């Protein structure tokens, strides 16, 4: 791990120039909400089996999360603690972080001779998320907590699922004390509408994200969509969190002002090349590649800080940046294969709908190979941010 401490849904659409165009944009954003989800279940390509990279990164910032919940608890000591995991997905990572938060709070309460609070846990993701896999894991989750307590009793925990987009209100006013979100906020509410010309075609031909060949308007459109979404996220959470409440947000970003780098942007470039190979082989129509754009944005630190200051409800207590080493994945699989399986578990719902599920195996074989080839030439450094925000 390299670690740097820093001081404190889917259709192509035309711009909303008419009522018809506005209606088309609404359908597009609903497409993302209805279609986009991590691959559910426990199969070979499921998120449950292919989220180890996210787990490694979350473990790296575990100290940030536990220190933030400790500071929150010691300054507020609520009798009923409201916790939300936004973008919880459906793999094993979901309940593991909740378990760590509960155990940390219980440890603090023992040290300070305070009675342990009850826990209200709110699990959120889009409606298409596989919430059932989480519910099936709850009996074991409860048993693990009980087994680790000296009295053999599970703490008072009330867990519920809250499907919907976190780019908007999800919970009543002043009901949350702690919000956690891991690897979710780099996903936008929609593909930026301004990357489409008047005829409704993408101006970002041959690329699924910002690239060296992208017109200037593409990066500007993505930034504008991020600003709109992140501001709405902050405003919504400011109304749901109590004063002094904390948010720990972990998401992908970039290290400087340039959008094109050898990090997250570069991986999307390699995915574009992987699709282009299928185009050259006659497996995919070129128009399909030209019309596919991801609802993703990797912000810079300056862009994040600017939106936090502008919205005005939060103080930025902590900001850290890190990246994962290019080590082999699980079961001795290559770095490229590990990246490819991770991206597939996240993107195959959208790619499968647009291109057809028949290309998925060959697409991600190409992608994994390209990642390995490039990683052998020069290190690829996908940047992750870990930030702590305090409600004013």
């Amino acid at each position: 791990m390299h670690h740097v401490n820093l001081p404190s849904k889917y259709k192509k659409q035309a711009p909303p120039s008419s009522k018809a165009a506005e209606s088309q944009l609404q359908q597009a954003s609903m497409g993302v909400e209805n279609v986009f989800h991590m691959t559910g279940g426990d199969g070979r390509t499921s998120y449950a089996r292919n989220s180890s990279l996210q787990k490694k990164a979350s473990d790296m910032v575990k100290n940030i999360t536990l220190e933030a919940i400790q500071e929150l608890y010691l300054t507020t000591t609520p009798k009923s603690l409201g916790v939300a995991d936004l973008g919880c997905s459906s793999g094993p990572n979901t309940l593991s972080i909740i378990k760590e938060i509960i155990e940390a709070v219980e440890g603090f309460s023992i040290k300070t001779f305070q009675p342990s609070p009850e826990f209200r846990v709110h699990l959120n993701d889009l409606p298409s998320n596989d919430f059932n896999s989480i519910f099936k894991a709850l009996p074991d989750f409860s048993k693990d907590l009980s087994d680790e307590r000296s009295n053999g009793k599970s703490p008072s925990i009330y867990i519920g699922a809250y499907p919907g987009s976190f780019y908007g209100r999800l919970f009543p006013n002043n009901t949350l004390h702690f919000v956690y979100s891991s690897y979710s906020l780099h996903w936008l509410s929609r593909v930026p509408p301004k990357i489409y010309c008047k005829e409704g075609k993408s101006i970002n031909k041959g690329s699924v994200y910002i690239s060296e060949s992208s017109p200037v308007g593409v990066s500007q459109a993505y930034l504008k969509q991020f600003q709109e979404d992140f501001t709405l996220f902050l405003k919504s959470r400011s109304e749901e969190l109590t004063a002094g409440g904390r948010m720990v947000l972990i998401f992908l970003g970039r290290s400087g002002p340039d959008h094109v780098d050898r990090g997250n942007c570069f991986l999307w470039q390699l995915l574009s090349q992987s699709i282009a190979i299928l185009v050259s082989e006659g497996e995919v129509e070129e128009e399909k590649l030209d019309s596919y754009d991801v609802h993703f944005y990797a912000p810079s630190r300056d862009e994040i800080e600017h939106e936090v200051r502008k919205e005005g409800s939060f103080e930025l207590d902590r900001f850290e940046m890190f990246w994962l080493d290019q080590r082999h994945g699980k079961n001795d699989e290559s770095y490229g294969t590990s990246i490819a399986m991770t991206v597939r578990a996240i993107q195959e719902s959208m790619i499968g709908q647009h291109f057809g599920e028949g290309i998925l195996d060959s697409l991600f074989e190409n992608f994994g190979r390209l990642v390995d080839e490039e990683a052998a030439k020069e290190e690829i450094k996908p940047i992750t941010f870990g930030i702590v925000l305090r409600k004013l």
Side-chain angles (χ1 to χ4, degrees):
M1 178 189 83
H2 299 275
H3 189 274
V4 181
N5 286 318
L6 300 175
S8 32
K9 194 186 191 190
Y10 209 83
K11 280 184 182 178
K12 301 306 171 189
Q13 60 262 5
S17 56
S18 66
K19 288 185 177 180
E22 289 177 1
S23 174
Q24 193 174 11
L25 289 180
Q26 290 176 349
Q27 292 174 3
S29 61
M30 282 300 292
V32 168
E33 186 166 332
N34 291 333
V35 175
F36 179 60
H37 59 85
M38 309 298 107
T39 302
D42 193 38
R44 181 180 65 87
T45 65
S46 67
Y47 187 76
R49 288 197 180 185
N50 296 283
S51 54
S52 59
L53 291 179
Q54 290 91 328
K55 181 66 166 65
K56 287 179 183 177
S58 296
D59 286 346
M60 289 180 185
V61 294
K62 183 189 297 185
N63 65 310
I64 298 178
T65 304
L66 298 185
E67 286 174 16
I69 192 71
Q70 178 180 11
E71 291 170 1
L72 164 73
Y73 183 70
L74 294 179
T75 55
T76 60
T77 58
K79 294 181 179 179
S80 180
L81 183 66
V83 177
D85 183 350
L86 306 185
C88 66
S89 191
S90 56
N93 299 347
T94 300
L95 293 178
S96 66
I97 186 61
I98 297 300
K99 181 172 180 285
E100 289 167 358
I101 290 172
I102 291 172
E103 290 176 341
V105 170
E106 291 207 304
F108 305 147
S109 66
I110 292 172
K111 289 179 181 179
T112 56
F113 304 101
Q114 298 283 341
S116 178
E118 66 177 18
F119 297 89
R120 293 174 286 109
V121 179
H122 309 72
L123 302 178
N124 158 261
D125 212 312
L126 295 176
S128 51
N129 184 56
D130 182 12
F131 285 104
N132 280 340
S133 66
I134 302 175
F135 298 149
K136 290 176 182 176
L138 287 179
D140 289 339
F141 169 75
S142 180
K143 184 178 184 301
D144 287 345
L145 285 173
S146 299
D147 290 347
E148 293 174 9
R149 296 181 110 207
S150 58
N151 61 8
K153 294 182 179 179
S154 177
S156 297
I157 309 172
Y158 305 91
I159 299 180
Y162 294 77
S165 171
F166 50 54
Y167 293 122
R169 289 293 301 274
L170 290 165
F171 313 108
N173 289 338
N174 301 311
T175 54
L176 299 179
H177 298 89
F178 190 79
V179 169
Y180 177 84
S181 181
S182 180
Y183 287 95
S184 296
L185 279 164
H186 43 252
W187 298 111
L188 303 174
S189 64
R190 59 180 178 174
V191 177
K194 291 189 177 296
I195 69 169
Y196 303 110
C197 65
K198 292 181 180 179
E199 291 75 30
K201 294 183 178 180
S202 173
I203 63 173
N204 196 31
K205 293 184 182 299
S207 298
V208 303
Y209 183 57
I210 303 167
S211 69
E212 291 179 345
S213 63
S214 299
V216 175
V218 172
S219 60
Q220 293 173 342
Y222 271 98
L223 172 59
K224 185 176 186 299
Q225 188 63 53
F226 166 74
Q227 291 171 331
E228 176 185 311
D229 285 345
F230 194 51
T231 296
L232 182 56
F233 176 87
L234 294 174
K235 185 177 187 302
S236 300
R237 303 295 83 76
S238 72
E239 294 172 356
E240 297 163 353
L241 277 161
T242 60
R246 303 297 202 279
M247 289 202 295
V248 173
L249 309 178
I250 304 165
F251 53 105
L252 298 174
R254 66 185 199 276
S255 58
D258 292 337
H259 287 89
V260 178
D261 59 14
R262 201 172 175 83
N264 296 299
C265 177
F266 187 65
L267 291 176
W268 289 118
Q269 180 181 324
L270 294 181
L271 185 64
S272 299
Q273 292 178 17
S274 302
I275 301 172
I277 291 172
L278 297 182
V279 172
S280 69
E281 295 172 345
E283 297 295 321
V284 170
E285 296 176 7
E286 187 172 9
E287 184 277 332
K288 284 284 189 180
L289 170 57
D290 290 342
S291 61
Y292 187 73
D293 299 280
V294 294
H295 61 291
F296 170 94
Y297 185 70
S300 67
R301 175 181 177 167
D302 287 345
E303 290 167 354
I304 295 169
E305 290 182 337
H306 175 75
E307 296 310 310
V308 171
R309 286 194 302 267
K310 188 174 72 171
E311 196 280 327
S313 299
F314 293 91
E315 182 73 25
L316 185 57
D317 281 352
R318 193 166 180 175
F319 199 120
E320 298 198 15
M321 179 179 76
F322 61 96
W323 61 89
L324 294 173
D325 283 324
Q326 290 179 186
R327 295 172 181 166
H328 289 310
K330 59 184 181 179
N331 300 324
D332 295 324
E333 66 187 12
S334 72
Y335 176 72
T337 299
S338 181
I339 290 289
M341 294 299 288
T342 298
V343 173
R344 177 172 181 168
I346 296 168
Q347 271 285 296
E348 76 172 6
S349 62
M350 302 297 285
I351 291 176
Q353 188 207 38
H354 185 82
F355 295 97
E357 295 183 359
I359 72 157
L360 291 172
D361 287 343
S362 54
L363 169 62
F364 285 102
E365 286 173 9
N366 290 338
F367 182 54
R369 185 181 70 255
L370 289 179
V371 171
D372 278 332
E373 289 174 359
E374 288 296 332
K377 299 175 186 176
E378 183 183 346
E379 189 174 15
I380 302 172
K381 296 181 178 179
I383 297 296
T384 292
F385 293 137
I387 70 175
V388 178
L389 295 170
R390 174 170 42 88
K391 168 75 182 297
L392 297 173

